Amino acid sequence: MNIAIITGASSGMGREFALQLDSCLGKTDEIWLLARRKESMEELSSLLRTKARAISIDLTKDTELNQFEEILAIQNPRITVLVNCAGVGSHKIFTGQSREEIESMIQLNIVALTRMTMLCLPYMRKGSKMIQFSSGAAFVPQAAFAVYAASKAYVYSLSRALEQELKGRGITITAVCPGPVNTPFISNAYEDSSGFSPLKKITIAKTSCVVKKAIDDCKRGKSVSLCGFPIKLLYLSTQSVQNLILRFWKP
Ligand SMILES: NC(=O)c1ccc[n+]([C@@H]2O[C@H](COP(=O)([O-])OP(=O)(O)OC[C@H]3O[C@@H](n4cnc5c(N)ncnc54)[C@H](OP(=O)(O)O)[C@@H]3O)[C@@H](O)[C@H]2O)c1
């Protein structure tokens, strides 16, 4: 059985991925939707042509990830696409955040994404594709978004390195690095609108555009997906030297 897996499918860009991939998946029998809110994923399933399975899972819980590992072992699917989209952010100064807030962000954005990548790779074959949700925040350290930006720098670095390691297996990885996108993430991350700078307001992107660009870039096997001029400029000005090194780096 060929499947696509999308984490963070109950909302925002994960939900949009399911809707857009539905019409361009090719030989995929099922889409597995992963997040905590089952009703929202069931409502989404009803909109899809491809058969969908809504799996309620808290990705920060080791026991629930172990259960998912067992499901994979029993079903033994071929994973054609993995979209690691689940993520949270909190826009506050470091000392204003609770230990729980910081640790749950690290647990979801870093630990769970790494674990999902490890769990799914054995089921991926030549031609399989992985989309990892990083952020434009990966390119520059951000005060008041310190842990979030650092977690996305981790995702970016992991994706670029794995891309090199997996080339020989014919598996591609695309790191999606958007600037601000119009999803519930914004209202969850910002306690009040004063923290959301005018620059961010001007550059905010549409969910559908970011996801369409990510799917197009993934199809072309691109390492990084950037949507819109401001984020491309930020990328070029911060990552050019690193890209040059990566081009000649042999693992
Ligand atoms: N929106 C932006 O401005 C922006 C910019 C750059 C990058 N990003 C990144 O894009 C990705 C998608 O975010 P979004 O904008 O679509 O935000 P969103 O609408 O808030 O979606 C976040 C998703 O993560 C899931 N999630 C949260 N905690 C979870 C947990 N413990 N276990 C399982 N799933 C969990 C949520 O589902 P449940 O609550 O149902 O579990 C939800 O489906 C994130 O990685 C985010 O960091 C967003």
Side-chain angles (χ1 to χ4, degrees), residues 6-22:
I6 304 170
T7 74
S10 62
S11 168
M13 289 188 270
R15 184 180 193 279
E16 183 66 26
F17 256 105
L19 291 167
Q20 292 198 24
L21 280 176
D22 187 36

Side-chain angles (χ1 to χ4, degrees), residues 224-242:
V224 184
S225 180
L226 304 161
C227 184
F229 178 71
I231 208 72
K232 282 181 185 160
L233 192 63
L234 179 66
Y235 174 75
L236 280 176
S237 52
T238 58
Q239 305 299 307
S240 302
V241 174
Q242 194 191 80

Side-chain angles (χ1 to χ4, degrees), residues 25 29-30 41 65 71 102 154 166 184 187 193 207 215 239 241:
L25 266 174
D29 304 299
E30 287 187 13
M41 292 186 290
L65 281 162
I71 295 176
I102 287 175
Y154 170 89
L166 295 171
S187 53
S193 58
T207 310
I215 292 174
Q239 305 299 307
V241 174

Side-chain angles (χ1 to χ4, degrees), residues 99-151:
R99 178 181 159 189
E100 288 73 28
E101 213 169 1
I102 287 175
E103 287 184 356
S104 63
M105 202 168 6
I106 293 172
Q107 194 68 30
L108 182 65
N109 296 2
I110 296 181
V111 181
L113 178 136
T114 309
R115 184 84 196 281
M116 278 300 292
T117 303
M118 288 174 76
L119 290 184
C120 293
L121 265 174
Y123 301 93
M124 299 181 93
R125 302 279 175 274
K126 191 171 189 272
S128 294
K129 298 185 179 307
M130 205 185 288
I131 294 177
Q132 306 279 46
F133 256 86
S134 177
S135 164
F139 304 145
V140 186
Q142 284 194 20
F145 237 155
V147 175
Y148 176 74
S151 74

